[in-house]
């Protein structure tokens, strides 16, 4: 993942805090936040994950003019395409269903705040294989993403581990 | 309102229900705010007929985000230095999740007082859905 410009905005922080059911006013009330130890609004601990919003190439967001693999006329939008286009269409296809998030780690050098304009750059980390409990190979891969601010200072280091399963995961 | 090292002991627990009867709409809210629109989380037609799951399930990052609230409520705002989890079990609509943070260590590093927490979030059946750890700056 590469994001050139991830502006941290108060409304986005408020929406994200609502989405994780956190009513702490440090995420929405600037006046309250001014009176806290932090002194200003900050983002919740997992907020940088929302950098996906600013990743032009992010494949888990429908884009105008690009076939989307979620349901439409058919259970998958890709089924509505002529065979030739199906092959060409990228965007994950049914494969996205077999790609699951296995681990996520954040290291906070400081906490992002409104006014920050972050960049994100990812590097491939380790990769390894494991046998699934019910057979089938599990392929793990790690990606390390560095979030830097407008001064080039490191703000958050995020390490994500994805796993590709050859069948739906057990739940 | 930060924690004080002198008032903490290893094994001490902090716990709270972080979501009660998880709604599909809450999952939609998370998709919208995070930008992760993977249809396995919001599209019942796709997830049952194409992906082969019994229904939509929550983003792992939603469980991590919900659990984050217990951590920041416990250690104070802006105090976390690390937070990491493994996603061990899927979370489904209707689930009620309880997060628990247990004091693993109280230590000093370069004059800074730090608290290490073991983190586990369980569903209504007592099964862990995420396990992990967190570190925070605390007062002496």
């Amino acid at each position: 993942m590469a994001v050139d410009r991830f502006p941290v905005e108060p409304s986005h922080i408020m929406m994200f805090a609502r989405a994780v059911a956190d009513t702490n006013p440090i995420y929405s009330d600037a006046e309250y936040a001014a009176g806290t130890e932090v002194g200003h609004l900050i983002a919740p601990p997992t907020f940088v994950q929302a950098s996906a919003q600013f990743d032009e190439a992010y494949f888990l967001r429908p884009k105008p003019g690009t076939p989307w693999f979620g349901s439409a006329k058919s259970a998958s939008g890709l089924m509505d395409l002529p065979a030739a286009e199906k092959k060409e269409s990228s965007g994950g296809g049914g494969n996205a269903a077999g790609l699951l998030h296995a681990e996520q780690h954040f290291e906070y050098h400081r906490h992002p705040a409104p006014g920050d304009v972050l960049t994100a750059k990812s590097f491939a980390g380790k990769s390894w294989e494991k046998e699934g409990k019910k057979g089938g190979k599990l392929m793990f891969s790690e990606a390390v993403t560095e979030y830097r601010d407008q001064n080039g200072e490191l703000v958050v280091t995020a390490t994500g581990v994805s796993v590709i399963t050859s069948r739906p995961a057990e739940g | 309102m930060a924690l004080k090292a002198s008032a903490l002991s290893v094994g001490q627990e902090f716990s709270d229900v972080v979501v009660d009867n998880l709604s599909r709409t809450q999952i939609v809210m998370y998709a919208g705010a995070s930008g992760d629109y993977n249809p396995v989380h919001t599209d019942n037609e796709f997830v049952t007929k194409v992906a082969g799951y019994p229904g939509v399930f929550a983003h792992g990052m939603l469980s991590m985000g919900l659990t984050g609230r217990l951590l920041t409520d416990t250690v104070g705002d802006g105090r976390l230095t690390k937070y990491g989890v493994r996603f061990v079990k899927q979370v489904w609509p209707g689930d009620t999740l309880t997060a628990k943070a247990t004091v693993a260590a109280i230590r000093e590093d370069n004059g800074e007082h730090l608290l290490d927490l073991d983190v586990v979030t369980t569903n209504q059946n007592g099964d862990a859905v995420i396990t992990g750890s967190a570190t925070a700056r605390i007062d002496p």
Side-chain angles (χ1 to χ4, degrees):
Chain A
M1 182 185 65
V3 174
D4 293 338
R5 197 180 149 77
F6 172 14
V8 178
E9 292 161 349
S11 322
H12 192 191
I13 291 175
M14 178 193 74
M15 287 172 61
F16 192 92
R18 284 179 180 168
V20 296
D22 194 333
T23 57
N24 188 335
I26 191 100
Y27 304 132
S28 57
D29 183 341
E31 206 172 303
Y32 164 85
T36 63
E37 179 192 55
V38 177
H40 52 79
L41 296 175
I42 52 169
T46 60
F47 178 75
V48 291
Q49 198 72 10
S51 58
Q53 301 278 17
F54 301 93
D55 180 357
E56 287 300 322
Y58 189 61
F59 78 107
L60 293 174
R61 176 178 68 247
K63 298 173 194 74
T66 305
W68 174 242
F69 65 97
S71 70
K73 276 181 217 154
S74 310
S76 166
L78 299 184
M79 291 175 190
D80 299 336
L81 296 176
E85 271 180 62
K86 256 183 234 180
K87 277 191 204 130
E88 281 167 28
S89 85
S90 54
N95 282 340
L99 179 73
L100 293 173
H101 203 169
E103 293 180 34
Q104 185 65 44
H105 305 269
F106 295 110
E107 190 179 347
Y108 308 100
H109 310 285
R110 68 176 176 83
H111 290 268
D116 279 332
V117 181
L118 305 178
T119 57
K121 217 177 225 167
S122 295
F123 310 89
K126 292 173 285 188
S127 61
W128 65 97
E129 272 185 22
K130 235 169 87 175
E131 282 298 315
K133 271 184 226 150
K134 290 185 185 165
K137 269 210 169 68
L138 302 175
M139 284 169 288
F140 293 87
S141 60
E142 199 179 75
V144 180
T145 304
E146 288 183 354
Y147 292 90
R148 291 179 181 275
D149 67 14
Q150 49 283 3
N151 304 315
E153 299 288 332
L154 201 52
V155 178
V156 178
T157 306
T159 303
V161 179
S162 312
V163 57
I164 296 173
T165 59
S166 48
R167 62 181 72 198
E170 299 143 42
Chain B
M1 215 185 51
L3 292 172
K4 284 188 189 309
S6 56
L8 289 165
S9 52
V10 171
Q12 195 175 344
E13 289 180 0
F14 304 88
S15 168
D16 203 1
V17 172
V18 291
V19 71
D20 180 16
N21 189 14
L22 174 68
S23 68
R24 289 168 182 80
T25 307
Q26 189 76 42
I27 298 174
V28 169
M29 285 171 79
Y30 188 78
S34 69
D36 179 346
Y37 298 99
N38 191 334
V40 298
H41 303 305
T42 55
D43 183 338
N44 200 60
E45 185 77 359
F46 173 86
V47 79
T48 55
K49 293 185 182 166
V50 180
Y53 289 92
V56 296
F57 53 93
H59 307 71
M61 288 305 298
L62 173 53
S63 304
M64 186 179 189
L66 292 165
T67 300
R69 201 263 300 160
L70 171 76
L71 299 179
T72 48
D73 280 0
T74 301
V75 305
D77 299 322
R79 290 282 186 149
L80 277 183
T81 59
K82 278 184 185 179
Y83 175 29
V85 302
R86 282 182 62 209
F87 304 105
V88 294
K89 203 173 175 67
Q90 277 164 306
V91 171
W92 304 93
D95 280 358
T96 291
L97 303 183
T98 302
K100 188 173 78 178
T102 307
V103 175
I106 303 144
R107 59 191 171 92
E108 257 189 82
D109 186 17
N110 271 331
E112 242 186 1
H113 293 263
L114 297 171
L115 167 69
D116 293 323
L117 296 166
D118 288 332
V119 180
V120 61
T121 298
T122 50
N123 64 18
Q124 62 283 2
N125 303 318
D127 295 328
V129 295
I130 63 176
T131 60
S133 61
T135 300
R137 284 183 302 108
I138 53 174
D139 291 339

